[in-house]
Amino acid sequence: MGPFLPDSVRRHAVLRPDAPAVTEAGQTLSYASLDARSNKIAQALLAAGLQTGSRVGFLVRPGRMSAELLLACAKAGLVATPLNWRLAEPELVAVARDAELKMVITQEEFETGARAAMPELPLVTTGKAGPGEYAYEPWLDAAPADDPGRGGQADADTVFLQLYTSGTTGLPKGVQMTLSNMYAGERETAEVGWSEESVSLNVLPVFHVAGTGWLTAALSAGAHTVTLPELVPQQVVDVLESERVTHVLFVPAVLQLLIQVPGIRERDLSALQLIVYGASPITPALLRRSMEIFGCDFCQRYGQTETTGSVTRLLPADHDPDGPRAHLLRSAGNACPDTDLAIADLVTGKPVPAGTVGEILTRSHHVTPGYWQRPDENEKLFTQEGWLRTGDAGYLDEEGYLFITDRIKDMVITGGENVYPIEVESALAEHPAVCDVAVFGTPDEQWGEAVTAAIVLNAGAGDTGEDELIDFTRARIASYKSPRIIHFVDELPRNPSGKVLKHVLKEGLSGGGSGTR
């Protein structure tokens, strides 16, 4: 196994020193510069007294800084802990304390929040450093460029990254990741089509596993990564065209936004080779529209933070909306290389036959060694046989393709029947008036729970109402699965990874009847 990220960058720095590594706001960091700057940051961290395994927090947007900090921590034997800049101060305090951070590095726009939430920690900022603080560039420049030498084969099982779960319910947990967890083998790399000529677009934050995984995969392959600090649909389309981007990872919510950008069909996106999508469910209707507009290969990835990204993939060859295997577009694909996949009974935990819904289990070198300082949670996370419990429900067909029904906790039980929201969402999304949709259960005296939908209508949808949409679904799914309540909303609340915050919808849309647009 290997080479891992640090050794890959070291190699590119020697063999292709001037090749572009990361571009941000028109400024490009070459592989030689990325290697040298990460060495200096690693040395500065060690000179500050940080010991092997110390957690280093940073508040940074996608860009050159996020790349060099991740690499520096790996080279120094430290644990990079990207922090979610969207968190409220009490939430940031909770994460910092849980991680036992020893230092925080921040961009200027986040320094006020960092000082307020973590006043006791040494601070490095790209802004104006206060008393006892460090200014990023002078702090870096003062350190030697000697490579500390960590991050090779001997460190395969060393934790170098700690990401916090999105915390849609309960307190976020620190998911530990090793260098081997993040390693993408030759088969995985070939499936994506990475090469030294690839141009990757990264708009996902490094505090999310998709953003970190996509960035490290591109750097390991020697590709050129172009970044945007935030996701503005028009800017994304502009960069796709101007930078001749070949590879990109989007969550479905972003695809929904991009296909609505004015003039998208007239843009020259011919350089695009592959769009990878994942992190949240996609409806077949959205996937078909996206494939038609972008005209490149599509590949779905299913996974979670605890699996360091992908468990399954639906390869481009399986994306055939008009062919005899069009039903596979509703699946998440089959197991990634070197990954084991199984379905367990929700009650007994025993394996179930093909076609039977149960909990999705997985084993691979990508699976986390566990949560940081959460022994009780770790016992629940793994089975006695070493399988990771994903908490997702689904089934495998006879060919080994995985069909995800939903998060187990999101299943709606109405009148004694199990309803998986993704089935209802997919049916509603086929209606031409529906732009975005989320389905969940709300309390019902007669049925226990009522299938409830929050819907964003397309502009110009006219007087599309509840009855029309309910009747539409009844022609496609069993009547008991059709929504009993529909709320029309302006937008769906989402976390930074694009997942709909259904608990927010449940709290805000209590009671029956339509909401207002």
Side-chain angles (χ1 to χ4, degrees):
M1 185 182 293
F4 301 124
L5 174 65
D7 280 349
S8 293
V9 171
R10 289 166 177 138
R11 175 179 176 275
H12 294 305
V14 171
L15 299 180
R16 308 166 54 242
D18 297 326
V22 183
T23 294
E24 175 187 0
Q27 296 185 337
T28 299
L29 201 63
S30 69
Y31 272 94
S33 295
L34 175 60
D35 187 49
R37 285 175 64 86
S38 60
N39 287 344
K40 293 170 77 68
I41 296 168
Q43 291 290 359
L45 290 167
L46 294 172
L50 275 67
Q51 304 295 315
T52 298
S54 293
R55 269 65 181 165
V56 181
F58 44 87
L59 286 155
V60 296
R61 291 187 181 273
R64 295 173 296 159
M65 195 169 168
S66 57
E68 59 195 25
L69 287 174
L70 284 171
L71 189 57
C73 287
K75 288 181 173 183
L78 305 172
V79 181
T81 309
L83 303 172
N84 183 348
W85 63 77
R86 297 185 177 96
L87 294 179
E89 185 179 320
E91 296 173 308
L92 196 57
V93 169
V95 170
R97 288 177 177 171
D98 183 84
E100 299 179 0
L101 298 181
K102 302 302 181 186
M103 177 176 280
V104 61
I105 302 172
T106 179
Q107 290 174 324
E108 183 176 6
E109 65 177 304
F110 307 123
E111 66 181 25
T112 300
R115 290 188 183 106
M118 298 165 280
E120 75 285 357
L121 293 178
L123 180 73
V124 182
T125 176
T126 60
K128 185 177 180 180
E133 299 176 351
Y134 304 91
Y136 186 69
E137 289 297 334
W139 174 75
L140 180 158
D141 288 340
D146 301 326
D147 192 331
R150 300 291 300 272
Q153 292 295 321
D155 292 317
D157 296 325
T158 298
V159 174
F160 90 103
L161 179 64
Q162 187 161 305
L163 298 180
Y164 276 79
T165 56
S166 54
T168 55
T169 58
L171 292 174
K173 297 182 287 288
V175 181
Q176 301 178 97
M177 299 175 186
T178 65
L179 286 165
S180 61
N181 287 157
M182 296 295 290
Y183 173 70
E186 292 183 6
R187 287 175 62 193
E188 291 181 81
T189 300
E191 286 183 354
V192 176
W194 287 121
S195 74
E196 294 177 353
E197 287 72 45
S198 299
V199 180
S200 166
L201 174 61
N202 198 330
V203 296
L204 295 170
V206 290
F207 58 73
H208 184 260
V209 67
T212 308
W214 192 249
L215 174 62
T216 57
L219 292 175
S220 295
H224 176 199
T225 294
V226 181
T227 67
L228 285 171
E230 58 184 342
L231 197 148
V232 178
Q234 184 67 58
Q235 291 180 5
V236 169
V237 174
D238 290 345
V239 170
L240 289 174
E241 182 177 41
S242 64
E243 297 292 338
R244 307 294 292 165
V245 172
T246 61
H247 292 70
V248 67
L249 169 63
F250 290 136
V251 298
V254 172
L255 287 172
Q256 181 72 62
L257 293 171
L258 294 180
I259 64 175
Q260 297 178 74
V261 170
I264 181 71
R265 294 177 183 273
E266 284 69 55
R267 305 300 289 269
D268 179 10
L269 306 179
S270 58
L272 265 178
Q273 298 174 16
L274 181 70
I275 292 178
V276 177
Y277 61 96
S280 61
I282 191 169
T283 62
L286 173 58
L287 181 55
R288 285 189 178 92
R289 289 197 293 268
S290 300
M291 291 174 64
E292 188 265 325
I293 288 173
F294 288 104
C296 62
D297 283 343
F298 276 68
C299 177
Q300 181 181 173
R301 293 273 172 165
Y302 158 70
Q304 52 191 206
T305 307
E306 290 84 350
T307 64
T308 321
S310 303
V311 174
T312 65
R313 78 282 199 248
L314 187 69
L315 295 172
D318 291 324
H319 285 68
D320 186 9
D322 300 314
R325 292 164 63 81
H327 68 283
L328 291 179
L329 293 182
R330 299 194 307 272
S331 80
N334 48 22
C336 290
D338 305 316
T339 297
D340 295 327
L341 189 63
I343 306 295
D345 185 271
L346 295 175
V347 177
T348 67
K350 295 181 179 180
V352 297
T356 303
V357 173
E359 183 173 16
I360 302 167
L361 307 180
T362 185
R363 290 188 302 199
S364 75
H365 72 82
H366 293 301
V367 169
T368 176
Y371 298 121
W372 166 247
Q373 296 186 341
R374 298 287 183 94
D376 292 341
E377 295 283 354
N378 288 331
E379 284 190 19
K380 299 174 186 177
L381 184 61
F382 297 99
T383 70
Q384 291 182 347
E385 295 76 25
W387 293 88
L388 180 135
R389 295 186 173 99
T390 65
D392 288 335
Y395 65 90
L396 293 169
D397 71 5
E398 296 288 350
E399 295 182 281
Y401 284 82
L402 176 67
F403 290 77
I404 301 169
T405 51
D406 237 301
R407 292 293 292 172
I408 292 172
K409 62 181 175 58
D410 286 340
M411 183 175 67
V412 181
I413 303 176
T414 180
E417 298 283 358
N418 295 343
V419 177
Y420 295 98
I422 188 62
E423 295 181 86
V424 190
E425 290 165 354
S426 295
L428 285 165
E430 295 286 344
H431 194 287
V434 174
C435 174
D436 208 358
V437 57
V439 171
F440 48 93
T442 54
D444 185 275
E445 290 185 5
Q446 182 178 0
W447 304 104
E449 284 187 297
V451 178
T452 303
I455 292 176
V456 180
L457 292 177
N458 284 313
D463 57 357
T464 302
E466 280 184 280
D467 292 342
E468 178 182 341
L469 292 171
I470 292 172
D471 290 342
F472 182 83
T473 62
R474 284 177 175 165
R476 289 160 173 77
I477 55 178
S479 60
Y480 72 86
K481 298 179 181 179
S482 294
R484 294 181 180 274
I485 302 170
I486 290 180
H487 296 272
F488 295 105
V489 298
D490 292 326
E491 62 180 355
L492 299 180
R494 297 179 183 274
N495 71 8
S497 66
K499 296 178 182 178
V500 175
L501 300 174
K502 293 188 177 182
H503 72 283
V504 174
L505 287 170
K506 290 180 182 181
E507 294 166 3
L509 300 175
S510 59
S514 293
T516 57
R517 289 185 60 196

